[in-house]
Amino acid sequence: MIGPIAYIAVCVLLIIVALVMTFKSKRYAVAVAYAVLCIAGLIAPAELSMTPLIFWGVALVAVLVIDMLLPADIAKSNQGLGYIAGGGAVGMFIGLLIPAVVLCTATGAILGGIAYAKTPEGKPLEFPSSKFLSYLCAKGFPAVIAICIIGVSISWLLPDFMAE
């Protein structure tokens, strides 16, 4: 049987892969993040229910379906994604400190998108406009879901990691 340290090591590796994929706008970044959540669920406390796994599984399916429906040029674009995903990652870490991972991640991604729209490269998004909102939803939603799943996984793994 594999020990908890091995599970944690696999989770850390997959978290890094999921974050890199998120920053590069890869379609299956959310699926890799969800794999981390499932592995973390194996070693999480016994009182953990299946509800979070089902909730994030539905979010995973929603992200994949939406990404497949996006026009190819938007789906492959990573313009401003460093700002959006970076803001989401910073928000996730703040959310881990004050138990509000989802809220802080979403807020960070929105603020990252606004910061990008204020740069010379982001001017074509015409903040505030429907064009900006559409792009933020197309690129921010998958990033937020992936980073939120990673944050929830980390919150499940921290008690086990601290106990070792």
Side-chain angles (χ1 to χ4, degrees), residues 17 25 42 45 53 55 60 62 66 69 72 74 88 101 106 110-111 136 142 149 151 159 163-164:
V17 169
S25 187
L42 292 174
L53 291 172
F55 174 81
L60 162 70
I66 290 170
L69 295 175
I74 293 176
V101 173
I110 290 168
L111 292 175
L136 183 64
I149 292 172
E164 295 298 323

